[in-house]
C-alpha cells in the first residue's frame, strides 16, 4: 500500500480566508481523490484530481470554491476558498493503490479544519 | 446514484462480545471496502471485498454481491475496536468513486 501524508494536520482559520491542503504520496499513483467529512457525517467525494488536466468535480462542488492542482503523479493540493463556518470539516485525500490490479483505495490521515 | 445503508447506527458492547455490522447497497458494485475510523479521524482499511469472504484476525467479512449486502464480523471485541465503521462501494460505471455508507458507531467498554 502507498504511504500518504497531508499537511497541515489541523488548522483554525478565520472566515473569508483560504487554506491550501497538501497531499503527498510515496509512489506514483494514477488516481487521486479529495473527500470531505463534515462533523458527525460520512465522507463525500469532492473531486478527482487529474494529472495534467482540470479536476473533475462532483455535484455540489465547484472549482471556484475548491480549486485543485495535481502537478505530478505523487502530489496534489486542495484549496478551500473564502471559508465560512460551514466549511469546518475533515478533508482527506485518497489514492487507488493498484496493487495486484485491484481498485482498493487508501486514505491520508486527514486535515481537520475549523473556521471561526 | 447508488445508495448505501448501514446498520445498526450505534452499537455498545462489553469487551469480549461479538458483533455483526451490515451494509446494504442498491445496485451492482465493482468495489466494496470496509474501513475503521479511529477516534483521531484516521481511516484504516479493513477489507477490500467486492465479493466472497475474507478473514483477518478477529475480523472477517462476507459480501453477497447478488443479494447486495456485506457483513463485517468482529469477534472478542476490544476497547481499541471503538470508533466508526464505514462501508464504501463503487458502482460498475465508476469503479474508483467510493460512495460511503452512514457508518456504525461502535463503543466497546471494559
Amino acid at each position: 500500500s502507498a504511504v500518504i501524508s497531508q499537511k497541515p494536520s489541523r488548522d483554525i482559520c478565520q472566515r473569508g480566508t483560504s487554506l491550501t491542503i497538501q497531499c503527498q504520496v510515496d509512489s506514483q499513483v494514477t488516481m487521486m481523490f479529495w473527500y470531505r467529512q463534515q462533523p458527525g457525517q460520512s465522507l463525500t467525494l469532492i473531486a478527482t484530481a487529474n494529472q495534467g488536466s482540470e479536476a473533475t468535480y462532483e455535484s455540489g462542488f465547484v472549482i471556484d470554491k475548491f480549486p485543485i492542482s495535481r502537478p505530478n503523479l505523487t502530489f496534489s493540493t486542495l484549496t478551500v476558498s473564502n471559508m465560512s463556518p460551514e466549511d469546518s470539516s475533515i478533508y482527506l485525500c485518497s489514492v487507488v493503490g493498484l496493487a495486484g490490479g485491484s481498485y482498493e483505495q487508501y486514505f491520508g490521515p486527514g486535515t481537520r479544519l475549523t473556521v471561526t | 446514484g447508488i445508495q448505501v445503508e448501514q446498520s445498526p447506527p450505534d452499537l455498545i458492547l462489553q469487551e469480549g462480545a461479538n458483533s455483526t455490522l451490515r451494509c446494504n447497497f442498491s445496485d451492482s458494485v465493482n468495489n466494496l471496502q470496509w474501513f475503521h475510523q479511529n477516534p483521531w479521524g484516521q481511516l484504516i482499511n479493513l477489507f477490500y471485498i467486492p465479493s466472497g469472504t475474507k478473514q483477518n484476525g478477529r475480523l472477517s467479512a462476507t459480501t453477497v454481491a447478488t443479494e447486495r449486502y456485506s457483513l463485517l464480523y468482529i469477534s472478542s471485541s476490544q476497547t481499541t475496536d471503538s470508533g466508526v465503521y464505514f462501508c464504501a462501494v463503487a458502482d460498475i460505471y465508476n469503479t474508483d468513486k467510493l460512495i460511503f455508507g452512514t457508518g456504525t458507531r461502535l463503543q466497546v467498554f471494559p
Side-chain angles (χ1 to χ4, degrees):
Chain A
S1 66
V3 175
I4 308 166
S5 60
Q6 285 186 234
K7 290 181 182 179
S9 58
R10 59 177 60 231
D11 207 340
I12 301 173
C13 301
Q14 290 190 337
R15 68 176 66 206
T17 63
S18 298
L19 176 72
T20 296
I21 302 167
Q22 299 179 6
C23 178
Q24 179 76 53
V25 190
D26 69 344
S27 59
Q28 292 185 344
V29 292
T30 305
M31 308 293 289
M32 294 182 75
F33 307 90
W34 288 97
Y35 288 79
R36 180 178 74 180
Q37 185 178 26
Q38 295 177 300
Q41 302 297 312
S42 186
L43 281 78
T44 301
L45 179 63
I46 297 172
T48 302
N50 300 310
Q51 196 268 327
S53 64
E54 199 170 275
T56 306
Y57 290 84
E58 298 300 305
S59 176
F61 297 96
V62 296
I63 187 170
D64 290 345
K65 176 66 176 177
F66 298 102
I68 289 170
S69 78
R70 188 168 176 205
N72 56 53
L73 294 177
T74 64
F75 185 79
S76 178
T77 66
L78 168 75
T79 299
V80 186
S81 303
N82 188 24
M83 288 183 285
S84 66
E86 292 70 37
D87 294 320
S88 298
S89 297
I90 300 174
Y91 293 87
L92 302 99
C93 66
S94 72
V95 304
V96 173
L98 302 181
S102 81
Y103 294 100
E104 186 168 5
Q105 204 160 131
Y106 296 88
F107 284 79
T111 295
R112 191 179 295 268
L113 171 62
T114 302
V115 184
T116 61
Chain B
I2 195 167
Q3 305 295 316
V4 186
E5 295 183 356
Q6 290 185 242
S7 59
D10 296 280
L11 192 55
I12 300 174
L13 299 174
Q14 194 159 26
E15 213 168 19
N18 302 327
S19 60
T20 300
L21 283 59
R22 186 177 180 101
C23 172
N24 292 330
F25 43 95
S26 61
D27 206 342
S28 299
V29 298
N30 263 355
N31 183 352
L32 189 148
Q33 293 184 238
W34 282 97
F35 297 92
H36 174 213
Q37 188 169 41
N38 63 25
W40 296 270
Q42 174 76 54
L43 270 178
I44 299 164
N45 286 40
L46 297 179
F47 295 102
Y48 170 78
I49 187 167
S51 63
T53 298
K54 292 186 177 179
Q55 181 160 4
N56 185 4
R58 296 182 296 106
L59 274 59
S60 63
T62 295
T63 298
V64 184
T66 53
E67 297 187 20
R68 300 182 182 171
Y69 73 89
S70 183
L71 302 174
L72 176 69
Y73 305 95
I74 305 174
S75 64
S76 303
S77 57
Q78 301 175 358
T79 55
T80 51
D81 294 331
S82 297
V84 183
Y85 289 80
F86 287 108
C87 165
V89 305
D91 66 35
I92 60 175
Y93 305 106
N94 299 283
T95 309
D96 298 318
K97 293 186 179 181
L98 288 180
I99 307 299
F100 279 74
T102 50
T104 293
R105 182 175 298 276
L106 173 64
Q107 297 179 73
V108 182
F109 291 95

